[in-house]
């Protein structure tokens, strides 16, 4: 229990039956969340409905309906703005209880409208009686209380940790220290007495990732079954729970991470590499978009220490374990009623010319509009517009009429090398209502959603062009993520020049890109880590016609010694995906031959393609020697055989081209 004064005050607020905002504030580990949980229990005991808002990153559930007389617990980073948004949408007799490290905003404390509504509740360290009660509940002998109290100064997290250390048989220090130093010392003592090296590894591992699940822990520690280790972590006082898993208290996380960083930096790097590999596997397994988006937030968290992108990830890394404000945001397709508000935002931040240009894209088939919402606020919190530009779109009048699209199309026509069936993705506009293109929760969510667009197999572009109103500010983050500055695609609207960056997903595809970021995260000089080296001679970006010619060339060379030497398809993306970096020509030739045979064999599975497959088989893969002999084996007239063979080559080329675009 404990916190008798605060509990008594809360009981009084409930008894009054009026609306109230209870603002609990204090330092890390002081017990804010614990007190909010106690408030929720008291409200339920009094028969009041309770709604707890504590969503995980990248989740976007709708705001639940708030019943009259409810207690609404807001236990998320960024609780103050969340409470401000909620106040206009909850019943007058509802009580909001929120936790924050800082006191209530000055505007709340000085605005007459808040008089009688606001109840600040600062949390100080526990008193001697409450501290002793906590220690008794944790099994610390009474004879040791004076020493423990002198060391912890009543800091709840330090008291709980001291109890953990004593239960495991160690002794903490005895000198006075600040709470962070206490936690540091106690965690060091706990590390010395964990049950086994594997338990220590588990403790170190879950400090590296945003949220830990049992399968992730198994991957990090390198064991087939981590259930025992996971359950042990759940017993620790520093462990907090969420809907997606567990995480250490932010203060404990900082200490564990720092301790591992100086003691065993290679181990720290390896843990993050394993986490990165795990997230990549999760992302590529299946088509669960919600899970993919969540994984991107987890992956981004691994880069929190980068001087180039760490400052840009503040909404993900805030409070050490949960992204501030992201949980309250959703992204949905824009609807016609949204358009006036979105154009008004564009005009406010970019000028009337920008708004007019964007309006022209509203019903264009190349454009995708998405709006960011912060429930329950009815006004858009931000939006973005994407243009999918195919080779045949580059001279579209709508493209040439827009300076941004025209600049992108001009560069693509000269240097983009777009092939039939490929598209470039131009992020035509993106902004947050209150902060435009500055770092914010809205900006971060848009970045994560755009990254999902780039990586998801069903919508992956060949290239991405990304413009910024302040390209200098974003240059470091773009360089880190392998987006090159592209002055040739800069454009000017309403007197403001926008700087553009580009990434070619054909040269550094998604998995290679994620691997590059993993390498850069642990490098002393991230930008010295170059993108993956292409095979000798470089990859060839082929159009459909050149690719089809390459298929015919490869078929003719099959079965002959050196017959595939020099074939244009040896430099294709499909072959590169099957061979190691820097593979010898013979290895690439073998990979090309296997690709041709596998793709042809797949045609035999479809009834409509079987005759074409048989003609291919007896001509190229198990050749009869001459076309006449192949026709005789198939029992076909020569004209019919040639028609089947032409159909087989066409279908084989079609399937190989599809694989090339997906590689």
């Amino acid at each position: 229990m404990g916190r008798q004064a605060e509990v008594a005050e809360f009981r009084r607020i409930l008894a009054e039956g009026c609306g109230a905002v209870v603002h609990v504030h204090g330092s890390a580990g002081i017990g804010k969340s614990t007190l909010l949980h106690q408030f929720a229990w008291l409200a339920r005991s009094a028969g009041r409905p309770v709604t707890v808002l504590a969503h995980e990153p990248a989740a976007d559930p709708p705001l639940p309906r708030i019943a009259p007389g409810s207690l609404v617990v807001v236990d998320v980073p960024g609780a103050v703005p969340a409470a401000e948004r909620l106040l206009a949408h909850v019943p007058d007799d509802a009580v909001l209880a929120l936790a924050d490290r800082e006191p209530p905003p000055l505007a709340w404390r000085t605005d007459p409208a808040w008089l009688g509504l606001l109840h600040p509740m600062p949390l100080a360290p526990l008193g001697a009686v409450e501290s002793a009660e906590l220690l008794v509940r944790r099994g610390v002998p009474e004879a040791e209380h004076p020493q423990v109290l002198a060391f912890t100064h009543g800091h709840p997290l330090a008291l709980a940790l001291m109890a953990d250390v004593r239960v495991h048989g160690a002794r903490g220090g005895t000198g006075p220290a600040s709470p962070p130093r206490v936690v540091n010392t106690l965690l060091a003592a706990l590390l010395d007495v964990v049950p086994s090296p594997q338990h220590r590894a588990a403790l170190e591992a879950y400090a590296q990732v945003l949220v830990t699940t049992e399968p992730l822990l198994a991957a990090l520690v390198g064991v087939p079954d981590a259930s025992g280790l996971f359950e042990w972590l759940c017993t620790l006082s520093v462990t907090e729970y969420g809907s997606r898993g567990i995480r250490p208290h932010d203060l404990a996380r900082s200490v564990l991470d720092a301790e591992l960083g100086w003691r065993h930096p290679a181990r720290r790097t390896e843990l993050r590499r394993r986490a990165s590999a795990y997230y990549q596997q999760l992302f590529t397994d299946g088509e669960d978009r919600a899970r993919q988006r969540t994984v991107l937030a987890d992956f981004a968290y691994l880069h929190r220490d980068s001087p180039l992108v760490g400052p840009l990830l503040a909404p993900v890394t805030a409070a050490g374990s949960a992204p501030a404000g992201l949980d309250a945001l959703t992204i949905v397709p824009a609807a016609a009623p949204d358009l006036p508000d979105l154009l008004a935002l564009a005009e406010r931040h970019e000028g009337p010319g920008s708004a007019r240009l964007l309006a022209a894209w509203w019903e264009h088939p190349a454009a995708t509009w998405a709006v960011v919402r912060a429930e329950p606020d009815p006004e858009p919190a931000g939006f973005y517009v994407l243009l999918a530009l195919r080779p045949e779109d580059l001279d579209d009048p709508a493209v040439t009429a827009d300076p941004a699209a025209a600049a992108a199309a001009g560069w693509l026509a000269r240097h983009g090398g777009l092939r039939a069936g490929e598209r470039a993705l131009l992020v035509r506009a993106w902004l947050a209502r209150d902060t435009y293109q500055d770092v914010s929760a809205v900006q971060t969510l848009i970045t994560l959603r755009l990254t999902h667009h780039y990586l998801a197999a069903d919508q992956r572009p060949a290239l991405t062009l990304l413009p910024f109103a302040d390209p200098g500010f974003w240059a470091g983050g773009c360089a880190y993520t392998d987006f090159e500055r592209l002055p040739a695609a800069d454009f000017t609207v309403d007197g403001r020049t926008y700087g553009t960056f580009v990434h070619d997903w054909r040269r550094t595809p998604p998995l290679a890109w994620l691997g590059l970021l993993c390498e850069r995260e642990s490098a002393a000089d991230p930008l010295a880590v170059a993108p993956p080296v292409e095979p000798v001679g470089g990859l060839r970006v082929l159009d459909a016609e050149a690719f089809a010619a390459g298929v015919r060339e490869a078929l003719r060379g099959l079965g002959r010694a050196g017959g595939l030497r020099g074939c244009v398809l040896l430099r294709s993306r499909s072959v590169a995906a099957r061979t190691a970096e820097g593979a010898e020509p013979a290895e690439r030739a073998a990979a090309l031959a296997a690709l041709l045979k596998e793709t042809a064999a797949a045609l035999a599975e479809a009834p409509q393609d079987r005759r074409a497959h048989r003609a291919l088989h007896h001509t190229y893969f198990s050749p009869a020697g001459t076309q006449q002999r192949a026709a005789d084996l198939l029992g076909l007239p020569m004209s019919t055989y040639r028609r089947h063979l032409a159909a087989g080559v066409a279908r084989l080329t079609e399937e190989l081209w599809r694989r090339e675009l997906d590689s």
Side-chain angles (χ1 to χ4, degrees), residues 211-234 244-246 278:
V211 177
T212 299
T213 62
E214 191 175 306
L216 173 57
L217 184 63
L220 295 178
V221 180
V223 296
D225 181 5
S227 57
L229 297 174
F230 188 82
E231 291 171 5
W232 176 77
L233 288 175
C234 291
R244 291 202 300 124
I246 61 173
Y278 180 85

Side-chain angles (χ1 to χ4, degrees), residues 62 106 154 474 489 534 540-541 610:
L106 181 62
W474 295 96
E534 298 175 355
R540 292 289 302 274
V541 178
R610 285 174 186 162

Side-chain angles (χ1 to χ4, degrees), residues 176-430:
S178 64
R181 178 58 185 162
V182 169
V183 173
N184 193 329
T185 302
L186 293 175
L187 280 174
L190 184 59
L191 284 169
D192 288 338
V193 295
V194 292
S196 73
Q198 275 194 345
H199 287 79
R200 181 184 181 113
L203 195 61
E204 295 167 344
Y206 95 139
Q208 298 304 314
V209 295
L210 186 64
V211 177
T212 299
T213 62
E214 191 175 306
L216 173 57
L217 184 63
L220 295 178
V221 180
V223 296
D225 181 5
S227 57
L229 297 174
F230 188 82
E231 291 171 5
W232 176 77
L233 288 175
C234 291
T235 67
L236 298 181
S237 302
V238 296
T239 295
E240 299 178 346
Y241 298 84
S243 62
R244 291 202 300 124
I246 61 173
R247 60 198 179 210
H249 186 282
D250 58 334
L251 182 57
R253 181 197 295 275
S254 297
V255 174
L256 286 166
D257 186 30
E259 191 270 346
L260 184 61
W262 66 258
R263 182 180 56 81
H264 201 330
R267 169 70 179 161
R268 184 174 181 266
T269 298
E270 178 59 22
L271 284 170
R272 295 194 180 188
R273 286 180 186 276
R274 291 183 182 184
S276 176
Y278 180 85
Y279 297 144
Q280 291 178 49
Q281 186 66 41
L282 273 186
F283 189 91
T284 55
D285 283 351
E287 297 296 330
D288 186 335
R289 292 193 173 193
R291 184 179 69 173
Q292 288 177 337
R293 292 165 183 165
T294 298
V295 166
L296 287 176
D298 293 333
F299 185 83
Y301 185 71
L302 296 178
H303 300 264
R304 60 192 179 274
D305 297 327
S306 167
L308 292 174
V309 295
L312 309 180
L313 296 172
V316 173
T317 60
S321 58
L326 284 184
D327 56 292
L329 299 175
T330 64
I331 293 182
V332 297
D338 298 318
L339 184 60
D341 289 336
L342 304 186
L343 296 180
L345 288 180
E347 181 169 356
R348 183 205 309 174
H349 289 290
E350 298 183 343
S354 178
R356 285 195 299 272
L357 290 169
L358 289 176
W361 289 107
W362 174 249
E363 293 185 335
H364 196 282
T368 299
W369 292 66
V371 60
V372 184
R373 298 201 179 279
E375 298 293 348
D377 189 346
E379 300 298 321
F383 75 96
Y384 62 82
V385 182
L386 306 179
L387 300 183
L389 302 177
R390 302 167 299 172
E392 58 268 32
D393 298 328
L394 301 185
D395 57 357
D396 185 321
V399 171
T400 57
D402 181 351
W411 180 83
L412 288 168
R414 295 188 301 274
H415 306 291
L418 283 179
R419 303 171 294 187
E422 290 184 335
R423 63 195 180 99
L425 193 66
L426 171 65
V427 183
R428 176 56 187 86
W430 67 275

Side-chain angles (χ1 to χ4, degrees), residues 542 547 550-551 554-555 558 564 567-579 586-603 613 616 620-621 648 651-663:
L542 303 170
F547 189 88
V551 173
L555 288 173
L558 271 179
L564 295 178
C567 179
V568 68
L569 295 189
L570 294 178
R571 306 296 183 192
S572 67
R573 177 65 64 191
S574 300
V575 171
R578 289 169 164 256
T579 53
E587 295 175 84
R588 295 200 299 276
L592 175 56
L595 175 64
L596 291 168
K597 292 174 183 176
E598 290 173 16
T599 308
L603 297 181
H613 169 261
L616 278 174
Y620 296 115
F621 298 104
R651 283 290 294 120
L652 180 67
T653 301
E654 180 183 331
E655 285 301 305
L656 287 168
W657 178 245
R658 182 184 61 78
R659 294 187 183 203
E660 177 73 2
L661 295 181
D662 288 343
S663 296

